[in-house]
Amino acid sequence: MSPLTFTAPILAVAIGDPAGIGPELAAKAVMDPEIRAAARLIIVGDARVLQQGAAQAGVTLDVEVRQPGQDLTPGNRPVLLDLGHLDPEAITLGKAQRAGGAFALRNLREAIQLAASGEADAVCFTPFNKAAMRMEHPPYDDEIGYTAEVLGLADVPAKEFNILDGLWNARITSHVPLSAVASLITYDAVLEGLRLTDRSLKDSGFPTPRIAVAGLNPHAGDGGNFGHEDDAIIAPAVEAAKREGIVADGPFPPDTVFVRATKGAFDAVLTMYHDQGQIAMKLIGFDRGVTLLGGFPFPICTPAHGSAYDIAGQGIAGTGATRAALLLAARMGAQRRAGAAAA
């Protein structure tokens, strides 16, 4: 493994729910040669929890342990920011509990603050459990809302992207009831969704992203027979995006657009609601998918799967999605660092 240079991106990696597979995935990531060759790492958590994860995963850690207030700039070895805030003996594996939620929230907050202060170029985290996090912080909805809260943003500028084998899925609405979706599909929302998708893809290395837009209704409305949103709202927004130079097309019938995308016709599919894209992406490859929070001043990446309580502590968790998340964050962090240097 070649030595890292001072220009290599720095990733702040928050350890996720300690009752799940988050600690063992973090330990494996710390020792992954490809990840260590792509970025300098600051692991955020508790040394005891990471060590337990390493024991579960069967890996030997090689990190520099530092305390809050010390210089966290990594050299050729990853740095562990040891917050000392959780004894793993206090955690029951495979169960959502308030102590686990508090641990994960603190780690995420510290990682976000590292990126906000310029000490890291991107943020990653191993899987959280939202139920545990709500036990500690009842207003918690999702990572986008929490990141905006930590950054003090009144308006949430970000959207969630799911990425698998080079194919991106963006969406206009996310964690809302299905009954509310149609009222949230507006011309401005679709156009801004296309702008953010185009910008995020370019930030990850796509020079000219090709974006397919899914319709809202069956058969994209079938000329108004099954609803008017596709013709009256979505199509005009797509045309406006084209006039801005965005390579977009649609709306396409939602039940076939991913077939075309997986055959290479598009780099991304912009869907109208959560499960319209999530079901397709997870069927394509549940264990390899990455979630990106795009639109904040820095990228935030995580594996698309959950905390897997059923296999916690067994050392058998697959690392494919975690590796993909950190390597995507490294690419985007490098782009961000290069852009800042050129400015």
Side-chain angles (χ1 to χ4, degrees), residues 191 194-195 198 202 209 211 238 241-248:
L191 180 55
L194 280 164
R195 289 169 175 159
D198 181 69
K202 287 176 177 174
I211 306 169
V238 172
K242 289 180 180 179
R243 291 193 293 271
E244 294 182 7
I246 296 172
V247 181

Side-chain angles (χ1 to χ4, degrees), residues 312-331:
Q314 299 178 36
I316 61 175
T319 59
T322 300
R323 292 183 76 256
L326 268 75
L327 292 172
L328 174 63
R331 290 196 303 273

Side-chain angles (χ1 to χ4, degrees), residues 150-241:
V150 172
L151 295 175
L153 300 175
D155 296 318
V156 179
K159 294 285 186 181
E160 188 174 294
F161 297 87
N162 292 105
I163 304 159
L164 176 64
D165 299 339
L167 176 62
W168 289 48
N169 170 221
R171 52 184 181 259
I172 300 302
T173 67
S174 188
H175 298 126
V176 299
L178 191 58
S179 59
V181 168
S183 66
L184 297 173
I185 304 302
T186 65
Y187 173 91
D188 288 341
V190 175
L191 180 55
E192 185 52 41
L194 280 164
R195 289 169 175 159
L196 178 57
T197 302
D198 181 69
R199 185 165 67 249
S200 297
L201 280 156
K202 287 176 177 174
D203 286 345
S204 74
F206 287 81
T208 310
R210 301 163 300 159
I211 306 169
V213 181
L216 173 66
N217 297 298
H219 305 294
D222 189 36
N225 289 319
F226 308 135
H228 297 284
E229 294 89 351
D230 304 274
D231 294 335
I233 297 171
I234 301 173
V238 172
E239 292 305 312

Side-chain angles (χ1 to χ4, degrees), residues 17-25 52-53 56-57 91-97 306-317:
D17 193 303
I21 60 175
E24 63 188 85
L25 291 177
Q52 184 183 70
Q56 294 165 349
I91 291 293
T92 301
L93 290 179
K95 179 182 177 182
Q97 52 220 282
S307 50
Y309 281 165
D310 57 322
I311 60 169
Q314 299 178 36
I316 61 175

Side-chain angles (χ1 to χ4, degrees), residues 29-338:
V30 166
M31 299 310 301
D32 187 298
E34 187 176 1
I35 293 170
R36 290 174 69 137
R40 294 175 288 165
L41 305 178
I42 302 173
I43 310 300
V44 182
D46 187 297
R48 296 166 294 179
V49 174
L50 185 62
Q51 186 59 56
Q52 184 183 70
Q56 294 165 349
V59 300
T60 301
L61 292 175
D62 176 27
V63 299
E64 297 180 28
V65 179
R66 298 181 189 169
Q67 307 301 321
Q70 293 182 318
D71 179 17
L72 300 177
T73 307
N76 288 327
R77 298 169 65 207
V79 164
L80 169 63
L81 172 56
D82 182 13
L83 300 176
H85 57 322
L86 183 68
D87 180 351
E89 294 299 321
I91 291 293
T92 301
L93 290 179
K95 179 182 177 182
Q97 52 220 282
R98 182 173 179 175
F103 173 83
L105 283 166
R106 171 80 184 279
N107 297 343
L108 179 57
R109 182 169 68 251
E110 293 285 343
I112 291 168
Q113 289 171 340
L114 286 171
S117 69
E119 296 175 81
D121 300 296
V123 169
C124 290
F125 57 89
T126 57
F128 295 149
N129 181 279
K130 290 181 173 61
M133 296 163 96
R134 290 189 189 107
M135 292 178 191
E136 171 64 17
H137 185 56
Y140 182 88
D141 182 28
D142 57 23
E143 288 75 44
I144 289 179
Y146 187 71
T147 300
E149 179 184 323
V150 172
L151 295 175
L153 300 175
D155 296 318
V156 179
K159 294 285 186 181
E160 188 174 294
F161 297 87
N162 292 105
I163 304 159
L164 176 64
D165 299 339
L167 176 62
W168 289 48
N169 170 221
R171 52 184 181 259
I172 300 302
T173 67
S174 188
H175 298 126
V176 299
L178 191 58
S179 59
V181 168
S183 66
L184 297 173
I185 304 302
T186 65
Y187 173 91
D188 288 341
V190 175
L191 180 55
E192 185 52 41
L194 280 164
R195 289 169 175 159
L196 178 57
T197 302
D198 181 69
R199 185 165 67 249
S200 297
L201 280 156
K202 287 176 177 174
D203 286 345
S204 74
F206 287 81
T208 310
R210 301 163 300 159
I211 306 169
V213 181
L216 173 66
N217 297 298
H219 305 294
D222 189 36
N225 289 319
F226 308 135
H228 297 284
E229 294 89 351
D230 304 274
D231 294 335
I233 297 171
I234 301 173
V238 172
E239 292 305 312
K242 289 180 180 179
R243 291 193 293 271
E244 294 182 7
I246 296 172
V247 181
D249 204 358
F252 294 106
D255 58 349
T256 58
V257 66
F258 277 94
V259 176
R260 299 181 62 176
T262 56
K263 291 180 178 179
F266 304 103
D267 302 306
V269 179
L270 177 62
T271 50
M272 296 299 113
Y273 57 92
H274 186 277
D275 286 357
Q276 194 180 50
Q278 284 282 78
I279 292 171
M281 294 293 281
K282 291 187 176 181
L283 279 172
I284 293 167
F286 179 77
D287 59 347
R288 303 190 307 280
V290 172
T291 298
L292 163 71
L293 309 186
F296 288 117
F298 45 84
I300 303 175
C301 299
T302 187
H305 59 72
S307 50
Y309 281 165
D310 57 322
I311 60 169
Q314 299 178 36
I316 61 175
T319 59
T322 300
R323 292 183 76 256
L326 268 75
L327 292 172
L328 174 63
R331 290 196 303 273
M332 297 186 75
Q335 292 260 110
R336 182 168 176 254
R337 180 171 282 256

